Amino acid sequence: MDTNPQPQPPFHETNENTPEIGGGLPVIEYWAKHTLSPEGPHLWKTLFHKSACLSCSWGTGGQKGGFTNEAGEKLQRCMKSVEAISAEIQPPVPVHFFDSHTITDLQQLSSMEADRLGRLSFPVIRRSGSDHYERISWEEIYAIATDAFKKPPERVASYSSGRGSNEAAFLLQLLLRTLGSNNLADCSDLCHAPSTTALKEMFGTNTSIVSLESLKQADCVVLAGSNSAYNHPRLMNELIKLRDKGGKVIVINPVMEIGLVKFGSPAFPIKSLIPGSDIASLYLQPIPGSDVALFVGIQKALIEQGFVQYDFLQAYTQGWEAVLEQVRSLSWETITTTCGVSKVEIAAAATIIGTSKAVVFGWAMGITQHTNGVDNVYSIANTALISGQIGRMGAGVMPVRGHSNVQGFGSMGVTVKLKEEIKQALEQLLGRSLNLPKGYHTRDLIEAAQAGKVDSLICVGGNIYGANPDSAQAKRALGNIDTIIYLATKPNIGHFNGLAKTNTIIIPVLNRFENPHKTTVESGNNFVRLNDEGKTHLKNADLISEVEFLTELAHRLLGDYPVEWRKLQDTRYVRQLIATTIPGYEKIATIDDTKEEFIISGRIVTEPHFKTPSGKAKMLTTPLPNLALPQPLDFDIDESANSLVLALMTGRSYSQHNTVVYKIDDQYRGMPHRHCILMNRTDAQKIGLAQHDLVTVQGDADKLENIEVIYGAVREGAALMFYPEVNVIFKARTETRCGTPAYKRVPVVVYGKQRSPH
């Protein structure tokens, strides 16, 4: 059997402007442009600072040095690191900027334009009815904040992102829960919540069970729904090394991303940078949202090829019989029709998995951001268990996290689903029960705010407006909240569109390499890094650290209960609290003295024993989704117009970090600006569209006009547009078990240039 069949055209079609490899010389050119510019000395100083990278949670930096990962390997910085640092060392927003720019003016800014305004260096407030932000004193900030968070606990909430530290995260959740609120929304609710939900039920863990050391022992990686070439570039170094030693990489993505086919890494300047390194051994392009069907197909092929590890299933899992029975009951026609991938290709993937010695299954938001995202993760983990590829070195499941410390916030208890062990420890600290109401995750928070049920919100980093679907709804909902306090290093579109009813306050905070105290962060593979103190480049700035603001606010609200809050402004004492509260974090108590960074204990699984009540992995059946298009839509379609219904995926460009945009174009997809739609040529030609034609794209919330058509290597029936701009056109269809919106399968209508909807 051919174990490496290649997808047929039009899936391979690329735009005439796209490069032949990802990464490569453009990365070096970008580095040279920035490091040899006037900002270069400060940029280099920051790159070498002993603190963790600001970008993705793959992780590098810390006490081993700014360019070094936990394995001691050098050259582990990427272009995204430089982009993030460059944005943080901008000059300050001019002192009189807000005086001369109205809210109406600021609401016209794009994500990139807002970020380019510079660093926030003094606190400002927008008062009810005002069309301007104005400077505000710290005493007034604390007076407003104290009054706001004295409201009934069910009416106060927080939202956070992984930009902050473990210490800030711990203080945030301790403050909210001491007040009696469990409304701890987080950006992870919008991305990997299906991963934590599924992994908790199956294995008793919320995180990756694979360490970097374990990954290095794999001879196969299955990477599903992740464009790691540009969102987690350092992971590509591991895939290059795996391929060099004869291993295989199976990529699953509806879009043929060039960096996942061939990638040029600066970490290997001779063998990889210019010629590029082969990444995908097999590239599968399923219909968006059909991942359950694809993985059930792989399971069916594993059965037929004799690769099922029955002894492993009997000894270490429960529920496996029902899973295999479901797989056997489904016909190949049903499977291939649902996922859009041929039986030959599915069988090839099963052969690679079944003949590999050690397989790691990784995935990102292309798997989780669906209405059945939890089932998608179940199906991946079922595949790992059926093939016996879990519970030993080199094998396991590995959600690939986005933001640098997003996993750390969850570990610290910033979640509506608090671990029982943490709950008990906090109850002992508080001296009372923590049987609090369910609490609002991010989508619940928006719905509650729209219903007038939220009075006060503190946002520790992030962009709650920009990150949510249905931008108009998010704007209305946030506008119902009396007081919103944003802690941020730079302006973002949420500060100008997510305005509170009465008081909107933006507090300028120090970033990770500027803090006057040590902090820690956690990588997506459970490694804890220690960040040294630093200083800001901003002169005469009126900045504060997140830790200082949270502890001072807590002191004014709570006095010295249940801790001496002001004492915790020395983060050493926060780490001692963390050590006694957070399972696996015991070593953080002595990290100030030892400088010993560590892997969180109890999370990396190298033996087939799991933290479930039975000690066995719990397998669950996964119903196939109904993905028929066109499907009943919640909006009217102009039947007389020349139109096409597509499954739209929202995505980030290659120079973007979460909602922050660094460049308007995407050279790797051949998209010259942000107002494009990447379409399959066959789909476009069905309604007479040529490349660069302008179309209207309509969703169930709104429409965008004058969108440029770009032909790309996206499978037929699917399309891609950029987040967060496209969020305005669709409402939130969520995974009901965890609230994550289905950003990766949005039904839309594309109207041809001949006519547009009435």
Side-chain angles (χ1 to χ4, degrees), residues 335-514:
I335 291 169
T336 57
T337 301
T338 303
C339 70
V341 179
S342 71
K343 179 180 177 182
V344 172
E345 292 173 301
I346 294 173
T351 301
I352 292 173
I353 293 168
T355 57
S356 296
K357 294 179 180 178
V359 184
V360 169
F361 294 79
W363 67 90
M365 288 182 286
I367 290 294
T368 59
Q369 289 181 332
H370 294 279
T371 55
N372 67 334
V374 172
D375 288 336
N376 285 341
V377 179
Y378 286 160
S379 68
I380 293 173
N382 283 343
T383 307
L385 290 164
I386 287 169
S387 56
Q389 297 290 358
I390 207 162
R392 53 192 171 86
M393 290 294 287
V397 291
M398 182 183 73
V400 184
R401 298 275 185 168
H403 213 316
S404 58
N405 195 38
V406 65
Q407 188 167 296
F409 267 68
S411 294
M412 294 300 108
V414 180
T415 172
V416 296
K417 297 178 180 178
L418 189 63
K419 285 183 178 180
E420 183 61 30
E421 306 96 309
I422 302 176
K423 177 175 175 284
Q424 291 175 5
L426 291 176
E427 287 178 334
Q428 187 172 356
L429 177 66
L430 295 172
R432 60 177 170 81
S433 169
L434 269 182
N435 291 324
L436 301 175
K438 175 187 173 185
Y440 300 140
H441 58 54
T442 301
R443 283 306 308 166
D444 283 345
L445 174 60
I446 293 295
E447 299 289 343
Q450 179 165 275
K453 297 179 180 179
V454 181
D455 291 328
S456 309
L457 173 66
I458 184 169
C459 295
V460 181
N463 181 356
I464 189 170
Y465 163 80
N468 266 279
D470 196 348
S471 305
Q473 183 208 23
K475 189 172 186 174
R476 288 193 308 270
L478 295 170
N480 281 341
I481 300 174
D482 286 332
T483 300
I484 301 179
I485 300 171
Y486 292 108
L487 276 62
T489 63
K490 299 169 295 169
N492 65 52
I493 58 173
H495 300 148
F496 310 139
N497 293 279
L499 299 173
K501 184 193 308 182
T502 306
N503 293 308
T504 309
I505 298 173
I506 309 176
I507 294 176
V509 295
L510 297 155
N511 63 39
R512 184 172 298 167
F513 52 81
E514 295 173 335

Side-chain angles (χ1 to χ4, degrees), residues 595-635:
K595 306 291 175 67
E596 182 184 342
E597 297 168 323
F598 59 92
I599 293 177
I600 301 161
S601 63
R603 294 192 184 176
I604 307 304
V605 178
T606 57
E607 296 179 356
H609 181 79
F610 307 98
K611 290 186 175 181
T612 58
S614 66
K616 295 183 176 183
K618 181 181 178 181
M619 297 179 67
L620 297 108
T621 56
T622 51
L624 268 59
N626 179 6
L627 301 174
L629 284 175
Q631 56 185 300
L633 300 175
D634 297 329
F635 55 92

Side-chain angles (χ1 to χ4, degrees), residues 317-335:
T317 73
Q318 60 187 66
W320 63 272
E321 299 96 334
V323 171
L324 292 187
E325 179 57 33
Q326 181 207 14
V327 173
R328 292 190 181 101
S329 70
L330 292 169
S331 69
W332 274 111
E333 181 181 4
T334 298
I335 291 169

Side-chain angles (χ1 to χ4, degrees), residues 112-132:
M112 187 176 80
E113 290 167 338
D115 189 71
R116 294 282 175 87
L117 293 177
R119 280 290 300 279
L120 294 164
S121 63
F122 52 90
V124 293
I125 183 172
R126 184 262 186 178
R127 305 178 195 273
S128 176
S130 173
D131 201 27
H132 285 82

Side-chain angles (χ1 to χ4, degrees), residues 110-111 471 656 661 674-675 704 722-729:
S110 68
S111 291
S471 305
Q656 182 176 350
V661 176
R674 306 285 297 176
H675 300 288
L704 288 170
F722 288 133
Y723 154 106
E725 292 87 345
V726 74
N727 291 5
V728 69
I729 73 171

Side-chain angles (χ1 to χ4, degrees), residues 21 262-264 268-278:
I21 68 169
K262 189 180 283 285
F263 187 82
F268 310 105
I270 296 175
K271 70 178 182 180
S272 177
L273 180 61
I274 295 176
S277 298
D278 290 333

